[in-house]
Amino acid sequence: MRVVYRGLAVIGLVAAAAATLVVVLPSGPDEVAAGPVTAPPAAPSSSGPAPSTAPSTGAPPSASPLPTAEATPSPGPSLAPGYTAMEALYADPRVPKLTGRIKRMSLASPSRKVVKDRRSGLAVPDLPKPWKSYGAAPFTTKQVLPKTRAGVRGIFVTCPLPIMRQKSPRNTALLAARWTLNHHPKGSRITWLASQPVKHGWMLVYRVKYGKHQSQAAVVVMDGGMSKPGLAFVTVPDSQRKQWRDISRVVAGVRVLG
């Protein structure tokens, strides 16, 4: 009888141990406790993709994710997600790199007769005939040459800076020159002619080629003390090349209104 009781006691202990194991062991190998998921940043801080913050999928640590296609900067006015304005500029084939080999140009004495743009805080030359003032919209001042048979003509305009201001006036002027391609024929490309600092800003003179034709153009970005810097932009097509000399008048004559 003692042998029987001992056998029953052993069986009871084994059963209890088995029950304990059932409680401790997880019911499946893939079950994990749910944890908080960190929200991804609103946008990458640089040109690289944002790090993934999705929960684990159970894949082995050695497994690498499939490569994903990265967005590239657009040559148009919009930016690909995660790219800065300057990165988009450097990726634009229409705008070459501005190197130290680009020469300065001698500037003539500024014109005494000026047009005042109080929105941009600039005073700019009032160009002589055949230039004339014209309806400014969407700019704040506008001077034009007579229309040619081809329907194109030189224009000289001012307005508050229409693009994002950069840390350096030079980079701001580069972005402004790129923006002016919106006002040239499709397929236009820039060749730099002159680049130099001016008081309160920067000026760039450049050639714009489109097909068999070209224009000469310039931008001056200058801080006129307003909420945004002011922009002066002039472009003259080759059909009016006699007025190319007026481009030097423009870049020499832009100044802060005061």
Side-chain angles (χ1 to χ4, degrees):
M1 186 62 84
R2 292 181 179 177
V3 174
V4 173
Y5 288 146
R6 288 177 181 174
L8 292 174
V10 171
I11 292 172
L13 291 173
V14 172
T20 302
L21 289 175
V22 170
V23 173
V24 173
L25 293 178
S27 59
D30 294 332
E31 288 185 6
V32 293
V37 178
T38 305
S45 58
S46 65
S47 59
S52 173
T53 54
S56 171
T57 59
S62 59
S64 58
L66 293 176
T68 56
E70 289 188 6
T72 55
S74 168
S78 61
L79 296 179
Y83 284 84
T84 67
M86 294 306 297
E87 286 173 330
L89 172 75
Y90 297 144
D92 194 334
R94 304 172 302 169
V95 185
K97 185 177 180 181
L98 182 61
T99 66
R101 291 179 294 178
I102 305 301
K103 298 181 179 180
R104 296 189 177 197
M105 63 182 294
S106 58
L107 300 180
S109 299
S111 173
R112 292 183 179 181
K113 194 175 181 181
V114 299
V115 174
K116 297 179 180 181
D117 180 359
R118 301 192 182 280
R119 284 190 60 198
S120 65
L122 301 182
V124 299
D126 186 0
L127 297 175
K129 291 181 179 181
W131 292 91
K132 66 178 181 178
S133 296
Y134 195 75
F139 306 100
T140 47
T141 73
K142 188 178 195 179
Q143 300 175 57
V144 299
L145 289 171
K147 280 188 178 180
T148 63
R149 291 181 180 179
V152 297
R153 59 180 171 183
I155 62 169
F156 171 34
V157 298
T158 63
C159 61
L161 189 68
I163 47 93
M164 186 180 297
R165 183 179 191 173
Q166 303 299 299
K167 291 182 179 180
S168 74
R170 177 181 178 274
N171 285 348
T172 304
L174 282 169
L175 288 179
R178 179 178 184 252
W179 173 84
T180 66
L181 291 177
N182 297 326
H183 299 277
H184 288 97
K186 187 176 180 180
S188 296
R189 300 175 74 95
I190 283 176
T191 301
W192 301 117
L193 300 178
S195 170
Q196 62 202 70
V198 292
K199 192 173 183 179
H200 303 294
W202 200 276
M203 57 144 279
L204 293 168
V205 180
Y206 49 100
R207 182 182 301 114
V208 182
K209 291 185 178 180
Y210 39 90
K212 296 181 180 180
H213 295 280
Q214 61 177 296
S215 294
Q216 286 203 13
V219 293
V220 179
V221 174
M222 189 173 289
D223 189 349
M226 311 303 285
S227 58
K228 288 185 174 182
L231 171 68
F233 161 51
V234 59
T235 181
V236 180
D238 52 9
S239 56
Q240 296 175 318
R241 64 179 67 242
K242 288 183 179 180
Q243 264 56 57
W244 279 356
R245 63 179 180 267
D246 293 330
I247 292 176
S248 61
R249 293 184 182 181
V250 169
V251 297
V254 180
R255 67 176 188 265
V256 170
L257 185 61

